[in-house]
mmCIF file of all heavy atoms in Angstrom:
data_model
loop_
_atom_site.group_PDB
_atom_site.id
_atom_site.type_symbol
_atom_site.label_atom_id
_atom_site.label_comp_id
_atom_site.label_asym_id
_atom_site.label_seq_id
_atom_site.Cartn_x
_atom_site.Cartn_y
_atom_site.Cartn_z
ATOM 1 N N PHE A 2 79.598 72.930 -37.191
ATOM 2 C CA PHE A 2 78.922 73.898 -36.346
ATOM 3 C C PHE A 2 79.645 75.236 -36.442
ATOM 4 O O PHE A 2 80.771 75.319 -36.912
ATOM 5 C CB PHE A 2 78.823 73.427 -34.891
ATOM 6 C CG PHE A 2 80.118 73.420 -34.142
ATOM 7 C CD1 PHE A 2 80.577 74.562 -33.493
ATOM 8 C CD2 PHE A 2 80.895 72.270 -34.062
ATOM 9 C CE1 PHE A 2 81.774 74.552 -32.789
ATOM 10 C CE2 PHE A 2 82.080 72.252 -33.366
ATOM 11 C CZ PHE A 2 82.531 73.404 -32.724
ATOM 12 N N ALA A 3 78.956 76.268 -35.984
ATOM 13 C CA ALA A 3 79.532 77.603 -35.995
ATOM 14 C C ALA A 3 79.148 78.308 -34.707
ATOM 15 O O ALA A 3 78.134 77.992 -34.094
ATOM 16 C CB ALA A 3 79.032 78.401 -37.194
ATOM 17 N N VAL A 4 79.967 79.257 -34.304
ATOM 18 C CA VAL A 4 79.652 80.127 -33.172
ATOM 19 C C VAL A 4 79.358 81.497 -33.768
ATOM 20 O O VAL A 4 80.203 82.080 -34.441
ATOM 21 C CB VAL A 4 80.818 80.196 -32.166
ATOM 22 C CG1 VAL A 4 80.487 81.152 -31.042
ATOM 23 C CG2 VAL A 4 81.121 78.808 -31.622
ATOM 24 N N ILE A 5 78.135 81.980 -33.533
ATOM 25 C CA ILE A 5 77.718 83.261 -34.095
ATOM 26 C C ILE A 5 77.528 84.283 -32.986
ATOM 27 O O ILE A 5 77.412 83.922 -31.812
ATOM 28 C CB ILE A 5 76.418 83.130 -34.912
ATOM 29 C CG1 ILE A 5 75.256 82.661 -34.028
ATOM 30 C CG2 ILE A 5 76.619 82.219 -36.087
ATOM 31 C CD1 ILE A 5 73.915 82.697 -34.700
ATOM 32 N N VAL A 14 75.671 77.007 -33.097
ATOM 33 C CA VAL A 14 74.559 76.557 -33.928
ATOM 34 C C VAL A 14 75.017 75.519 -34.941
ATOM 35 O O VAL A 14 76.188 75.467 -35.328
ATOM 36 C CB VAL A 14 73.900 77.743 -34.679
ATOM 37 C CG1 VAL A 14 73.290 78.720 -33.705
ATOM 38 C CG2 VAL A 14 74.887 78.446 -35.585
ATOM 39 N N GLN A 15 74.056 74.682 -35.347
ATOM 40 C CA GLN A 15 74.235 73.717 -36.423
ATOM 41 C C GLN A 15 73.081 73.890 -37.396
ATOM 42 O O GLN A 15 72.108 74.587 -37.094
ATOM 43 C CB GLN A 15 74.225 72.284 -35.878
ATOM 44 C CG GLN A 15 75.390 71.962 -34.986
ATOM 45 C CD GLN A 15 75.308 70.544 -34.450
ATOM 46 O OE1 GLN A 15 74.231 69.967 -34.374
ATOM 47 N NE2 GLN A 15 76.445 69.990 -34.073
ATOM 48 N N TYR A 16 73.171 73.233 -38.542
ATOM 49 C CA TYR A 16 72.092 73.317 -39.523
ATOM 50 C C TYR A 16 70.801 72.768 -38.915
ATOM 51 O O TYR A 16 70.790 71.713 -38.291
ATOM 52 C CB TYR A 16 72.457 72.516 -40.780
ATOM 53 C CG TYR A 16 71.333 72.442 -41.768
ATOM 54 C CD1 TYR A 16 71.059 73.520 -42.591
ATOM 55 C CD2 TYR A 16 70.532 71.318 -41.854
ATOM 56 C CE1 TYR A 16 70.016 73.471 -43.498
ATOM 57 C CE2 TYR A 16 69.488 71.255 -42.751
ATOM 58 C CZ TYR A 16 69.233 72.335 -43.568
ATOM 59 O OH TYR A 16 68.188 72.284 -44.457
ATOM 60 N N ILE A 20 66.794 78.809 -32.606
ATOM 61 C CA ILE A 20 67.321 79.553 -31.469
ATOM 62 C C ILE A 20 66.461 80.789 -31.217
ATOM 63 O O ILE A 20 65.796 81.294 -32.118
ATOM 64 C CB ILE A 20 68.794 79.978 -31.699
ATOM 65 C CG1 ILE A 20 68.946 80.823 -32.965
ATOM 66 C CG2 ILE A 20 69.703 78.775 -31.755
ATOM 67 C CD1 ILE A 20 70.327 81.407 -33.162
ATOM 68 N N VAL A 32 65.108 86.422 -44.331
ATOM 69 C CA VAL A 32 66.388 85.763 -44.082
ATOM 70 C C VAL A 32 67.339 86.777 -43.448
ATOM 71 O O VAL A 32 67.458 87.907 -43.914
ATOM 72 C CB VAL A 32 66.977 85.208 -45.396
ATOM 73 C CG1 VAL A 32 68.350 84.607 -45.151
ATOM 74 C CG2 VAL A 32 66.045 84.172 -45.993
ATOM 75 N N VAL A 33 67.997 86.354 -42.367
ATOM 76 C CA VAL A 33 68.974 87.204 -41.698
ATOM 77 C C VAL A 33 70.340 86.526 -41.751
ATOM 78 O O VAL A 33 70.434 85.303 -41.850
ATOM 79 C CB VAL A 33 68.580 87.493 -40.227
ATOM 80 C CG1 VAL A 33 67.350 88.355 -40.168
ATOM 81 C CG2 VAL A 33 68.378 86.219 -39.446
ATOM 82 N N GLU A 34 71.392 87.340 -41.710
ATOM 83 C CA GLU A 34 72.754 86.812 -41.771
ATOM 84 C C GLU A 34 73.491 87.209 -40.500
ATOM 85 O O GLU A 34 73.375 88.344 -40.035
ATOM 86 C CB GLU A 34 73.461 87.381 -42.998
ATOM 87 C CG GLU A 34 74.743 86.662 -43.318
ATOM 88 C CD GLU A 34 75.248 87.021 -44.712
ATOM 89 O OE1 GLU A 34 74.441 87.153 -45.629
ATOM 90 O OE2 GLU A 34 76.479 87.163 -44.839
ATOM 91 N N PHE A 35 74.244 86.265 -39.938
ATOM 92 C CA PHE A 35 74.944 86.483 -38.679
ATOM 93 C C PHE A 35 76.453 86.480 -38.897
ATOM 94 O O PHE A 35 76.960 85.841 -39.822
ATOM 95 C CB PHE A 35 74.601 85.374 -37.668
ATOM 96 C CG PHE A 35 73.148 85.320 -37.312
ATOM 97 C CD1 PHE A 35 72.337 84.327 -37.822
ATOM 98 C CD2 PHE A 35 72.594 86.251 -36.459
ATOM 99 C CE1 PHE A 35 71.002 84.268 -37.489
ATOM 100 C CE2 PHE A 35 71.261 86.209 -36.115
ATOM 101 C CZ PHE A 35 70.459 85.211 -36.632
ATOM 102 N N LYS A 36 77.168 87.197 -38.001
ATOM 103 C CA LYS A 36 78.626 87.203 -38.017
ATOM 104 C C LYS A 36 79.135 85.922 -37.369
ATOM 105 O O LYS A 36 78.619 85.487 -36.349
ATOM 106 C CB LYS A 36 79.146 88.412 -37.260
ATOM 107 C CG LYS A 36 78.735 89.732 -37.855
ATOM 108 C CD LYS A 36 79.189 90.871 -36.988
ATOM 109 C CE LYS A 36 78.720 92.191 -37.528
ATOM 110 N NZ LYS A 36 79.038 93.302 -36.638
ATOM 111 N N VAL A 37 80.167 85.325 -37.948
ATOM 112 C CA VAL A 37 80.714 84.054 -37.473
ATOM 113 C C VAL A 37 82.012 84.311 -36.717
ATOM 114 O O VAL A 37 82.952 84.902 -37.252
ATOM 115 C CB VAL A 37 80.958 83.086 -38.651
ATOM 116 C CG1 VAL A 37 81.566 81.791 -38.156
ATOM 117 C CG2 VAL A 37 79.661 82.823 -39.391
ATOM 118 N N ILE A 38 82.059 83.856 -35.467
ATOM 119 C CA ILE A 38 83.251 84.001 -34.632
ATOM 120 C C ILE A 38 84.176 82.794 -34.791
ATOM 121 O O ILE A 38 85.384 82.929 -34.845
ATOM 122 C CB ILE A 38 82.851 84.184 -33.162
ATOM 123 C CG1 ILE A 38 82.089 85.494 -33.014
ATOM 124 C CG2 ILE A 38 84.052 84.150 -32.253
ATOM 125 C CD1 ILE A 38 81.541 85.724 -31.641
ATOM 126 N N ALA A 39 83.558 81.606 -34.866
ATOM 127 C CA ALA A 39 84.336 80.372 -35.033
ATOM 128 C C ALA A 39 83.557 79.421 -35.924
ATOM 129 O O ALA A 39 82.327 79.407 -35.900
ATOM 130 C CB ALA A 39 84.626 79.719 -33.684
ATOM 131 N N LEU A 40 84.290 78.616 -36.696
ATOM 132 C CA LEU A 40 83.668 77.685 -37.633
ATOM 133 C C LEU A 40 84.413 76.356 -37.574
ATOM 134 O O LEU A 40 85.637 76.321 -37.700
ATOM 135 C CB LEU A 40 83.718 78.259 -39.054
ATOM 136 C CG LEU A 40 83.125 77.411 -40.164
ATOM 137 C CD1 LEU A 40 81.614 77.312 -39.980
ATOM 138 C CD2 LEU A 40 83.443 78.010 -41.505
ATOM 139 N N GLY A 55 84.915 85.465 -44.889
ATOM 140 C CA GLY A 55 84.219 84.656 -45.887
ATOM 141 C C GLY A 55 83.209 83.680 -45.326
ATOM 142 O O GLY A 55 82.594 82.936 -46.080
ATOM 143 N N ALA A 56 83.014 83.659 -44.034
ATOM 144 C CA ALA A 56 82.061 82.734 -43.427
ATOM 145 C C ALA A 56 80.784 83.483 -43.052
ATOM 146 O O ALA A 56 80.818 84.645 -42.655
ATOM 147 C CB ALA A 56 82.655 82.082 -42.177
ATOM 148 N N SER A 57 79.651 82.802 -43.208
ATOM 149 C CA SER A 57 78.380 83.406 -42.830
ATOM 150 C C SER A 57 77.401 82.319 -42.436
ATOM 151 O O SER A 57 77.519 81.175 -42.866
ATOM 152 C CB SER A 57 77.810 84.243 -43.977
ATOM 153 O OG SER A 57 77.466 83.399 -45.054
ATOM 154 N N VAL A 58 76.447 82.705 -41.617
ATOM 155 C CA VAL A 58 75.367 81.808 -41.214
ATOM 156 C C VAL A 58 74.068 82.516 -41.554
ATOM 157 O O VAL A 58 73.866 83.673 -41.191
ATOM 158 C CB VAL A 58 75.428 81.489 -39.706
ATOM 159 C CG1 VAL A 58 74.202 80.732 -39.260
ATOM 160 C CG2 VAL A 58 76.684 80.703 -39.383
ATOM 161 N N LYS A 59 73.202 81.818 -42.280
ATOM 162 C CA LYS A 59 71.916 82.400 -42.661
ATOM 163 C C LYS A 59 70.804 81.681 -41.914
ATOM 164 O O LYS A 59 70.823 80.462 -41.746
ATOM 165 C CB LYS A 59 71.703 82.285 -44.161
ATOM 166 C CG LYS A 59 72.678 83.134 -44.924
ATOM 167 C CD LYS A 59 72.387 83.185 -46.385
ATOM 168 C CE LYS A 59 73.433 84.073 -47.032
ATOM 169 N NZ LYS A 59 73.246 84.267 -48.428
ATOM 170 N N GLY A 60 69.847 82.482 -41.453
ATOM 171 C CA GLY A 60 68.717 81.930 -40.730
ATOM 172 C C GLY A 60 67.418 82.551 -41.188
ATOM 173 O O GLY A 60 67.388 83.680 -41.674
ATOM 174 N N VAL A 95 64.592 82.095 -34.599
ATOM 175 C CA VAL A 95 65.289 81.932 -35.878
ATOM 176 C C VAL A 95 65.648 80.464 -36.082
ATOM 177 O O VAL A 95 66.108 79.799 -35.160
ATOM 178 C CB VAL A 95 66.583 82.785 -35.895
ATOM 179 C CG1 VAL A 95 67.345 82.594 -37.195
ATOM 180 C CG2 VAL A 95 66.272 84.254 -35.686
ATOM 181 N N GLN A 96 65.438 79.990 -37.316
ATOM 182 C CA GLN A 96 65.877 78.643 -37.690
ATOM 183 C C GLN A 96 67.079 78.763 -38.609
ATOM 184 O O GLN A 96 67.051 79.509 -39.592
ATOM 185 C CB GLN A 96 64.765 77.860 -38.400
ATOM 186 C CG GLN A 96 65.199 76.458 -38.754
ATOM 187 C CD GLN A 96 64.058 75.635 -39.323
ATOM 188 O OE1 GLN A 96 63.017 76.172 -39.671
ATOM 189 N NE2 GLN A 96 64.262 74.347 -39.408
ATOM 190 N N ILE A 97 68.150 78.034 -38.289
ATOM 191 C CA ILE A 97 69.391 78.097 -39.065
ATOM 192 C C ILE A 97 69.198 77.318 -40.370
ATOM 193 O O ILE A 97 68.858 76.131 -40.342
ATOM 194 C CB ILE A 97 70.582 77.527 -38.252
ATOM 195 C CG1 ILE A 97 70.726 78.266 -36.933
ATOM 196 C CG2 ILE A 97 71.861 77.601 -39.067
ATOM 197 C CD1 ILE A 97 70.936 79.753 -37.044
ATOM 198 N N GLU A 98 69.440 78.000 -41.498
ATOM 199 C CA GLU A 98 69.200 77.397 -42.806
ATOM 200 C C GLU A 98 70.487 77.016 -43.529
ATOM 201 O O GLU A 98 70.502 76.074 -44.293
ATOM 202 C CB GLU A 98 68.413 78.365 -43.681
ATOM 203 C CG GLU A 98 67.095 78.751 -43.072
ATOM 204 C CD GLU A 98 65.940 78.358 -43.955
ATOM 205 O OE1 GLU A 98 66.033 78.567 -45.162
ATOM 206 O OE2 GLU A 98 64.951 77.846 -43.405
ATOM 207 N N ALA A 99 71.582 77.775 -43.314
ATOM 208 C CA ALA A 99 72.821 77.488 -44.040
ATOM 209 C C ALA A 99 74.016 77.993 -43.246
ATOM 210 O O ALA A 99 73.952 79.037 -42.614
ATOM 211 C CB ALA A 99 72.807 78.153 -45.409
ATOM 212 N N ILE A 100 75.088 77.190 -43.284
ATOM 213 C CA ILE A 100 76.379 77.593 -42.709
ATOM 214 C C ILE A 100 77.381 77.545 -43.852
ATOM 215 O O ILE A 100 77.675 76.481 -44.389
ATOM 216 C CB ILE A 100 76.802 76.658 -41.565
ATOM 217 C CG1 ILE A 100 75.784 76.714 -40.435
ATOM 218 C CG2 ILE A 100 78.187 77.034 -41.070
ATOM 219 C CD1 ILE A 100 76.067 75.765 -39.289
ATOM 220 N N ASN A 101 77.880 78.725 -44.235
ATOM 221 C CA ASN A 101 78.804 78.820 -45.356
ATOM 222 C C ASN A 101 80.202 79.123 -44.840
ATOM 223 O O ASN A 101 80.404 80.061 -44.101
ATOM 224 C CB ASN A 101 78.376 79.931 -46.320
ATOM 225 C CG ASN A 101 76.961 79.722 -46.819
ATOM 226 O OD1 ASN A 101 76.583 78.602 -47.131
ATOM 227 N ND2 ASN A 101 76.186 80.780 -46.876
ATOM 228 N N GLY A 102 81.169 78.306 -45.252
ATOM 229 C CA GLY A 102 82.533 78.494 -44.795
ATOM 230 C C GLY A 102 83.373 79.035 -45.901
ATOM 231 O O GLY A 102 84.517 79.291 -45.848
#
Side-chain angles (χ1 to χ4, degrees):
F2 71 86
V4 177
I5 62 172
V14 297
Q15 294 179 336
Y16 174 78
I20 58 173
V32 176
V33 292
E34 193 166 321
F35 298 105
K36 298 175 183 174
V37 178
I38 295 175
L40 179 68
S57 66
V58 172
K59 293 187 180 183
V95 178
Q96 182 174 13
I97 304 302
E98 301 240 317
I100 298 177
N101 303 318

